[in-house]
DNA sequence: TATGAATGAGGGTTCATTCAT
DNA sequence: TATGAATGAACCCTCATTCAT
């Protein structure tokens, strides 16, 4: 994932590039993209700002690299989805897998969710939109009733929202994830049955 | 330097405060809070930055004033909801009214949605969270099954997301609004029936 | 909104000018000239900034007017001193009177002492310097030994500093004033006897 | 006016921090703290304002750093004084050494003297007050007569005032310094003998 | 006698970015 | 691989002052 040139010994003490990504994502998610300065990131890592520029061309590129690394699973999921028959089981599986992807990169998705205005003017914004469009295509039947199309989109956003908005609901996190997944699955199931 | 001599825009008299709010909301919604500078707002209004400070103490206060003005209906709705019996009809009516409120102040809610990271550190963030908590209280039955609680939150979030995220779905806006409302209503209805 | 309509507090009528001076001096002495804004003064008085400009042409003029009002006694003292014989008794009386003058306008002198850098570029700075020069002339014998000249200046400065710097010495204020006066008197006395 | 082409000032390499302090102190002393803007300091050095922020976190920190550097001798003097017996000779030596310290950092002390109102709200204000308190403790006998205590304080302030207030007295600077020192020494001597 | 509304200049501060070393 | 030093643009905000009403 990190050292792309030779796969042998590239992750010894001081894989700075990776550490930058980690800290940056943490801060981006916590405080937002704009409010997180390169100075802050550098200080967290105990390096100078200039060091960041050795590893990344711009602030935006740090974000892009994180995004690209962490959203690969979505790309895979979409590609997989496209090759499947449009059955109910497929859609349910997509929902399940997407739920897992979200859980696996929660900070990034939280970040994307909470910084939409910012991200919209960034390259990742456009890319993310495309990904979501791809997701919609494999889950929505374009000939279905409008209401059912909305159900599918709602399913996706329920998963999203579930990650962050539902933290106020106090309950066992695992049970919550299961409940969210159930509601989302329910929505695509209803949408499918009406067809 | 600007148009001080031509008498074309002479109906602005004492409405500057309102005009600041209007322009600010528009820009905040379009570009985000951080990316919108007071210089920009001032330029749009053809006044100086200092003029803004005659009407508002800080940049944040501009946002607060907009927020307070436009979210009053939510407060009213919550108060109304608290006094109603917890019937299905009540919940459906709440969803319907909330949908209307959202439509009536779409730019603000879009802004809140898209600038969560920023807004979280602002006073409006806290206030908004409280409002949402109030909404949840009148729509969620705390003794209900967890899945049904998630359904209700999903309903609210569907309304929110629907306002902005569904712009990709091409269809008549009115029909879309109706479809969204139907899905949200459906969700609270299912939640209620399981009880 | 501010309680201007109820006629209960009618003794402030036409005394606004005086009230501005009072508040201004208090704030100038407390926070310094630069740190005290006209906005602050206006707010303390519950009037608008523009009102200040009805009574005074500039911020500086507020200070000038205060200064002129309160330092008249020094002018009188100097004029009196010029007409007296240069005896020891005269000098001692000058010290005594000056001490009284200082006590009678303590906030202003504290202000002048603590804002020398600022005041130097203001009109009052020049005026004050002239006054001090006048004082020196009636208390210092230009033909005296340099050390004795220094003694006289030291006497004056002891009176000044005593007003404010000696607040750390804990003692009865009246006794402190008496002690300060005694030291100052002593200094001019020594200076005189050496002649 | 800016002289960027002539190669005269090519020895500045890594000494920027020091140069900032030098110029800042000069301007602070000349015009006062508030009236001296960072823009002005930067222009004098032919760098940008932002460059100042590379070396110092805030405007106040520039002052603090200057203060800390230049008042170290006072700290040393106090420490020395504490370890000496409270004899007349010690006190006289303290006065002598303090006089030297003042002469060695005249611009700073002039600044402190003339910007008391400003400095009072700054960190250096508090620190300076503590230093002066320390000085008082080693020169004043707390059981002495109040008048004699005042004499000692007066001695200190005579030294201070001498640096700046006595510039009007026209005489050879060296002689003036000697005269001032004599008056101050005299004061502590008198105070001591009365005990 | 005041006020409401506005201005122009300037304040300190922060930022992403650059580049020689 | 990094750092030290610096920049230019922009930021939010405050100020004394003005003037029509």
């Amino acid at each position: 994932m990190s050292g792309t040139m030779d796969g042998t010994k590239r992750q010894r003490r001081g894989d700075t590039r990776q550490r930058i990504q980690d800290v940056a994502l943490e801060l981006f998610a916590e405080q937002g993209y704009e409010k997180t300065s390169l100075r802050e990131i550098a200080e967290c890592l105990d390096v100078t700002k200039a060091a960041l520029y050795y590893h990344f061309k711009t602030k935006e590129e740090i974000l892009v690299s994180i995004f690209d690394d962490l959203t690969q699973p979505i790309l895979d999921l979409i590609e997989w989805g496209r090759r499947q028959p449009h059955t109910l089981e497929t859609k349910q599986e997509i929902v399940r897998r997407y739920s897992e992807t979200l859980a696996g990169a929660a900070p990034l998705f939280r970040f994307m969710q909470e910084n939409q205005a910012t991200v919209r003017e960034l390259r990742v914004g456009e890319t993310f939109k495309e990904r979501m469009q791809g997701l919609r295509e494999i889950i929505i039947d374009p000939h279905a009733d409008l209401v059912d199309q909305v159900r599918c989109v709602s399913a996706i956003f329920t998963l999203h929202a579930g990650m962050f908005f539902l933290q106020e609901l106090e309950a066992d996190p695992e049970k919550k994830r299961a409940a969210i997944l159930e509601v989302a699955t329910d929505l695509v199931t209803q949408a499918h049955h009406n067809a």
Side-chain angles (χ1 to χ4, degrees), chain A:
Chain A
M1 217 173 247
S2 51
T4 343
M5 46 299 279
D6 67 279
T8 40
K9 50 147 199 167
R10 269 318 100 177
Q11 136 248 35
R12 190 52 201 157
R13 149 127 186 65
D15 187 354
T16 308
R17 197 188 140 93
Q18 180 66 42
R19 288 171 63 230
I20 292 173
Q21 290 177 317
D22 293 348
V23 166
L25 177 52
E26 193 180 320
L27 292 177
F28 286 165
E30 224 168 86
Q31 323 176 336
Y33 180 77
E34 321 254 20
K35 280 288 210 44
T36 302
S37 68
L38 294 188
R39 177 178 56 64
E40 208 176 350
I41 296 175
E43 263 167 20
C44 269
L45 292 165
D46 215 23
V47 296
T48 54
K49 268 184 295 174
L52 305 183
Y53 279 90
Y54 176 81
H55 294 281
F56 299 95
K57 255 206 287 284
T58 64
K59 182 185 183 184
E60 184 172 354
E61 231 211 23
I62 298 181
L63 176 58
V64 168
S65 80
I66 295 170
F67 180 87
D68 285 346
D69 287 1
L70 293 179
T71 61
Q72 183 60 39
I74 300 189
L75 237 50
D76 298 341
L77 173 57
I78 292 171
E79 212 192 331
W80 176 86
R82 284 203 222 277
R83 292 191 319 258
Q84 302 309 115
H86 282 215
T87 64
L88 175 56
E89 284 73 32
T90 299
K91 289 178 186 172
Q92 289 174 337
E93 180 67 8
I94 288 170
V95 165
R96 212 190 48 70
R97 290 197 189 188
Y98 189 58
S99 161
E100 258 173 19
T101 302
L102 286 178
L108 175 64
F109 287 102
R110 182 183 167 207
F111 169 80
M112 295 301 290
Q113 185 89 20
E114 296 186 345
N115 291 269
Q116 287 171 65
T118 297
V119 137
R120 207 186 319 142
E121 339 228 277
L122 263 31
R123 203 148 67 62
V124 285
E126 196 53 37
T127 312
F128 191 61
K129 236 170 101 177
E130 287 165 16
R131 299 268 208 284
M132 295 315 263
Q133 175 58 24
L135 203 62
R136 267 202 295 269
E137 280 169 15
I138 61 173
I139 221 175
I140 293 183
D141 176 357
H143 305 305
D145 185 48
L146 184 57
V147 173
D148 286 320
Q149 294 192 35
V150 170
R151 273 202 181 87
C152 290
V153 178
S154 180
I156 295 178
F157 283 118
T158 294
L159 292 175
H160 278 197
M163 296 295 127
F164 327 112
F165 265 171
L166 286 169
Q167 283 160 357
E168 278 85 0
L169 277 195
E170 34 179 293
D172 174 51
E174 264 320 298
K175 283 191 185 157
K176 232 157 48 177
R177 257 201 75 207
I180 291 162
L181 181 53
E182 187 177 332
V183 172
T185 306
D186 239 46
L187 280 161
V188 301
T189 306
Q190 284 174 49
H192 188 88
H193 281 160
N194 293 342

